Amino acid sequence: MGSYVRTRALTSSSEPLDHDEELRTSICCLCNGGCGIKISLDQEGKIKAVFGDPENPYNKGKICSKPMEIAQTLYGPYRVRYPMKKVNGTFERISWDEALDLIAQKYNQYIKENGTGSIVGITSKIGGSYSKLAHGIFSELTGLVNYGTGPICTDSEANVRKKLFGDGSGTSPLSDVVNSKILLIVGNNTAQTKAGQFHWITEAKRRGTRVVVIDTRFTETAQAADLFIQIRPGTDAALGMALLNYVIKNGLYDPTFVSKHTNGFEKLVQDVSTFTTKRAEEITGVPQNVIEKLAQDLATLKPGMLFEGRGIVCVNNAGASLWAFEGLMAILGNIGKPGSGIISHINNTGGISNLIQPNDVMKPDRKRSSSALYKDMEEGDVKMVLISGNPCATWPDSARMSKAIEGLDFVVSHTLVMDDSAVLADIVLPATHWLEEAGAQPSVHRVLQWKNKTVEIRGEEKSGGDFYRLLAERMGLNSSYFPDSSESAWELERKHNKNVTGISRERMLATPGGVHFPCSEIGKENVRLFANGVFKTSSGKVELTGVSDAPLDYVDTFDAPGNNGLSREEFPYLFSTNKVASHYHTECQYSDWANEMEQPYVEMHPLTALEIGVKEGDKVRVETVAGSIVLAAKITQSVPRGFLSTQPYFGLQSPYRQAPANTLFPVATDPVGGNLISKNIMCNAKAEGGQGS
């Protein structure tokens, strides 16, 4: 049996459960790791234990705390069980019929009076494949513009990669790393963020893969590496450009690949020509000889892979960093071959086409950037919002987001729990948990796995698929486009999405670990993209300088959006958030285990603590241009001097009663990639007084 933890106790004396006659098999849906899990149920049909599935070839029985924590959320006191309407500031129970009628009436009214752009969706956790398909159909029928996880998590990565290669997805599966000679991990603590899959990296290392980690912090991943390169916060682009320059000047790139499969090489040469390894040392703090040795290793140890994380995606100068490192992989020829490429948790299966008849399609009458959404909500251009997730904790300037949502005419929250966003809604609807619905789940291995429904709902919860279908009916839309179950939704997806045509539910269930995609009806699985050397750009080649009209260039962290113009005397430190396994998503914190495992803290170097005048556990007020929060000091040499770090997703409505760390980030975006920022903002820190608990 795989690793497990009981759901009712987390103690060192916990004894193994008696063997179960039947264990339900599922796939964890919390981080696109694709970990197989086994669920043990009690006599009432409730979850009593969560195991890693030893028969799943990708996690091989290993899991992290996330699926065990989230199982508690199903039965916890914060779970929403029935629809509610806010009346005079208090929520009252209503029926689904009443809720749907009111939402439909409001929706149609705002479209008629204010246009389709007066309603937006903010759906970071829309649900499984059934819900995502139904949401897409609903959006086409209504002109709804939706803001998913992209603005806060993946936009820069997806946009840069799409412009380079024509596809924003990761080019290769994580499991391919065992065929690699070198793995470069940049700003990515995979031991925490993909904990159930980290064994692939340690296995690759045992087989001889050289593992190099570039990060600001000395993380668990860095501790497992062959080489850890500690870099100054936000200077990754300078390092990437110096590596490009060194590889080009010393003829270490792949001339055949560059000649046959890239455009813009000559301009790239010009863009990086002034970034010597000596200049990069001055900017990054990484010694010149270390940079040159890394360039030589990347050029000689082939094939090689790159695994980037939020550490260089969710920052104010992300685009240039991603452009430099992914361009480096391209000119080294590390694309499309076994053991090469770019690993990413972005593995988009593609969208449907030719399902909605043209006369039924409603186009959005206006679109906004994610940063412009705040202003448009505040000024009344947005009247109504549909929420699935918790933007009041996950989006930057959380206090401003909360105030903007509170000021809207009408807010609907389809949610698991009463979180910081749900309490501001006019209508709260109970959502199903991913263990309560079936569906296809993509993973970091570029596979689709089918998970069956594991447990029955215990209240009036509905999936996003059911919600959007029923709402469309109430609004008088053509509801015949909608499937009515997860299984029928997948068949519809296969019919209208050529990337998954050959992946039936039966095939996924019969194939250990699932099926690689894209996969046409008659074609074979595609383990990795671009194996044929043809890219999805208009030219069919890698567009090395097609990411931006401006040249590839380094923007200093202190001059980048959100920091530009601030006084370094007033804000002498840099502040970032970094995910840990036990608090990976906002929903993870609605668990007793999460509370037992970790409390909110702010990491700082001993010399920083000395400057501030605090010791371990003392309360520290961290302040930025956007706001301030108080956290307990955690003193560690794993972070550099002058750098503060905490976990991102606590909430005032959560068991922690902690203001979200994203309160501290102003609304600013990476100018190249478009991501909202959640790292490397200038801050001040002062002792608040009193000992932390």
Side-chain angles (χ1 to χ4, degrees):
M1 183 58 61
S3 304
Y4 76 95
V5 174
R6 297 176 189 241
T7 57
R8 293 182 180 171
L10 184 63
T11 65
S12 57
S13 61
S14 292
E15 295 295 330
L17 293 165
D18 293 334
H19 177 70
D20 286 83
E21 294 278 334
E22 179 184 359
L23 288 171
R24 306 278 179 96
T25 301
S26 190
I27 305 296
C28 181
C29 299
L30 281 167
C31 76
N32 280 1
C35 291
I37 54 177
K38 293 283 189 179
I39 308 294
S40 174
L41 306 181
D42 64 18
Q43 292 181 343
E44 297 179 1
K46 291 184 176 181
I47 296 172
K48 63 180 179 181
V50 181
F51 301 78
D53 182 359
E55 297 175 0
N56 186 290
Y58 290 117
N59 63 305
K60 301 178 181 179
K62 297 175 176 62
I63 52 172
C64 70
S65 56
K66 293 195 291 291
M68 298 180 282
E69 290 172 350
I70 204 64
Q72 283 193 321
T73 306
L74 271 73
Y75 314 117
Y78 294 88
R79 184 81 193 269
V80 176
R81 292 294 186 189
Y82 45 79
M84 293 180 288
K85 177 183 177 181
K86 188 177 286 180
V87 180
N88 297 323
T90 302
F91 284 107
E92 297 181 358
R93 183 172 183 171
I94 60 174
S95 68
W96 267 98
D97 285 338
E98 184 179 348
L100 289 166
D101 285 342
L102 179 57
I103 297 168
Q105 181 263 318
K106 291 285 189 180
Y107 207 121
N108 283 331
Q109 174 188 338
Y110 291 130
I111 287 180
K112 181 179 179 180
E113 296 177 357
N114 306 101
T116 59
S118 65
I119 306 168
V120 299
I122 307 178
T123 55
S124 57
K125 291 297 291 181
I126 191 64
S129 56
Y130 172 35
S131 298
K132 290 174 183 175
L133 177 62
H135 183 268
I137 294 170
F138 182 85
S139 297
E140 279 204 66
L141 294 174
T142 60
L144 177 70
V145 174
N146 185 63
Y147 301 84
T149 57
I152 58 172
C153 187
T154 62
D155 270 359
S156 285
E157 183 181 3
N159 290 336
V160 169
R161 193 173 300 138
K162 187 172 183 178
K163 290 176 180 177
L164 281 170
F165 305 112
D167 192 311
S169 299
T171 70
S172 302
L174 172 58
S175 52
D176 207 16
V177 72
V178 296
N179 298 312
S180 183
K181 297 298 183 185
I182 187 168
L183 170 64
L184 183 60
I185 302 174
V186 186
N188 189 354
N189 187 12
T190 55
Q192 284 282 345
T193 58
K194 292 289 180 288
Q197 304 294 337
F198 189 65
H199 69 92
W200 285 101
I201 293 172
T202 55
E203 174 63 20
K205 184 180 174 183
R206 282 194 294 270
R207 295 190 187 192
T209 303
R210 181 167 173 78
V211 178
V212 179
V213 170
I214 300 170
D215 210 314
T216 298
R217 303 179 302 138
F218 184 49
T219 63
E220 295 89 342
T221 306
Q223 294 169 39
D226 294 292
L227 174 65
F228 169 54
I229 300 174
Q230 191 165 37
I231 190 171
R232 288 174 184 150
T235 63
D236 305 272
L239 178 58
M241 292 176 70
L243 290 169
L244 279 167
N245 186 28
Y246 187 88
V247 164
I248 291 167
K249 284 191 173 180
N250 289 277
L252 300 177
Y253 60 91
D254 184 332
T256 302
F257 186 91
V258 168
S259 174
K260 288 186 176 181
H261 302 297
T262 72
N263 280 332
F265 181 69
E266 292 77 12
K267 187 171 186 307
L268 181 69
V269 172
Q270 181 180 351
D271 288 353
V272 302
S273 60
T274 63
F275 263 86
T276 63
T277 53
K278 180 61 177 174
R279 183 183 175 192
E281 177 182 7
E282 295 168 355
I283 294 172
T284 66
V286 180
Q288 181 178 359
N289 66 313
V290 173
I291 300 173
E292 292 175 356
K293 179 61 165 61
L294 176 58
Q296 292 162 7
D297 286 347
L298 288 167
T300 56
L301 297 176
K302 291 187 177 183
M305 301 188 83
L306 172 67
F307 198 178
E308 301 151 318
R310 304 312 93 192
I312 67 166
V313 174
C314 299
V315 297
N316 46 15
N317 54 6
S321 303
L322 296 160
W323 184 355
F325 279 103
E326 297 196 9
L328 177 66
M329 296 303 288
I331 70 167
L332 290 171
N334 274 326
I335 302 291
K337 304 166 188 172
S340 74
I342 299 163
I343 305 163
S344 172
H345 73 279
I346 303 177
N347 286 299
N348 190 358
T349 57
I352 58 172
S353 59
N354 302 318
L355 171 62
I356 312 297
Q357 294 297 316
N359 59 321
D360 285 332
V361 173
M362 185 176 289
K363 296 289 186 181
D365 60 16
R366 51 199 183 275
K367 294 185 178 181
R368 309 169 179 87
S369 66
S370 54
S371 58
L373 179 60
Y374 291 78
K375 181 174 177 288
D376 282 2
M377 288 195 294
E378 291 163 343
E379 295 182 353
D381 193 50
V382 174
K383 302 294 184 184
M384 174 179 172
V385 64
L386 300 171
I387 299 173
S388 295
N390 190 8
C392 294
T394 60
W395 281 52
D397 205 339
S398 301
R400 183 182 175 191
M401 173 61 78
S402 297
K403 187 175 180 180
I405 288 177
E406 190 173 21
L408 295 176
D409 289 2
F410 194 66
V411 178
V412 178
S413 175
H414 185 221
T415 183
L416 285 171
V417 295
M418 286 299 291
D419 54 30
D420 290 34
S421 303
V423 296
L424 302 178
D426 297 284
I427 298 290
V428 174
L429 302 172
T432 50
H433 185 271
W434 48 265
L435 287 168
E436 296 168 336
E437 57 182 85
Q441 176 66 19
S443 85
V444 72
H445 300 287
R446 293 201 59 79
V447 293
L448 279 166
Q449 302 177 82
W450 184 266
K451 65 177 187 64
N452 287 318
K453 181 178 179 179
T454 304
V455 293
E456 297 299 322
I457 63 169
R458 309 182 76 83
E460 299 179 20
E461 299 88 350
K462 292 186 186 297
S463 68
D466 290 339
F467 167 47
Y468 286 105
R469 174 175 51 82
L470 293 170
L471 180 57
E473 289 177 359
R474 290 300 207 286
M475 291 174 62
L477 302 172
N478 187 346
S479 61
S480 66
Y481 291 116
F482 290 86
D484 60 4
S485 69
S486 297
E487 291 76 14
S488 60
W490 187 249
E491 288 307 305
L492 193 64
E493 182 98 18
R494 291 178 63 207
K495 183 178 179 181
H496 292 277
N497 180 357
K498 64 181 180 180
N499 290 322
V500 299
T501 304
I503 308 178
S504 66
R505 173 177 171 273
E506 292 74 20
R507 184 176 177 182
M508 284 185 272
L509 290 171
T511 307
V515 183
H516 289 92
F517 62 89
C519 181
S520 66
E521 188 169 12
I522 58 175
K524 295 181 180 179
E525 301 174 53
N526 283 275
V527 175
R528 60 192 65 82
L529 298 179
F530 315 128
N532 60 359
V534 178
F535 295 85
K536 296 182 181 179
T537 58
S538 58
S539 66
K541 296 183 177 183
V542 181
E543 296 293 342
L544 293 171
T545 53
V547 174
S548 171
D549 292 335
L552 172 59
D553 199 5
Y554 167 68
V555 177
D556 186 273
T557 308
F558 294 95
D559 295 325
N563 290 334
N564 189 28
L566 296 183
S567 165
R568 294 187 68 169
E569 291 185 1
E570 185 178 357
F571 300 105
Y573 306 119
L574 287 175
F575 178 79
S576 286
T577 60
N578 295 283
K579 285 188 176 185
V580 296
S582 56
H583 294 139
Y584 190 86
H585 285 305
T586 57
E587 62 195 64
C588 294
Q589 66 188 289
Y590 293 86
S591 152
D592 292 340
W593 288 348
N595 204 318
E596 290 175 20
M597 283 187 278
E598 286 196 86
Q599 292 292 314
Y601 56 79
V602 57
E603 292 180 323
M604 63 182 68
H605 190 275
L607 292 177
T608 308
L610 187 64
E611 291 172 357
I612 297 171
V614 294
K615 57 184 180 297
E616 182 79 14
D618 284 353
K619 293 300 179 82
V620 178
R621 180 170 293 277
V622 184
E623 182 181 13
T624 70
V625 290
S628 69
I629 62 173
V630 176
L631 296 164
K634 182 176 181 179
I635 301 172
T636 171
Q637 295 193 50
S638 66
V639 300
R641 183 177 182 179
F643 180 81
L644 307 180
S645 172
T646 192
Q647 305 147 357
Y649 293 147
F650 297 110
L652 290 168
Q653 297 298 319
S654 76
Y656 295 95
R657 298 291 188 262
Q658 171 67 52
N662 284 313
T663 297
L664 300 184
F665 294 95
V667 180
T669 57
D670 162 33
V672 175
N675 235 95
L676 293 167
I677 64 169
S678 59
K679 299 182 190 296
N680 296 344
I681 193 68
M682 293 168 66
C683 73
N684 197 359
K686 298 178 181 178
E688 182 73 0
Q691 185 75 11
S693 58

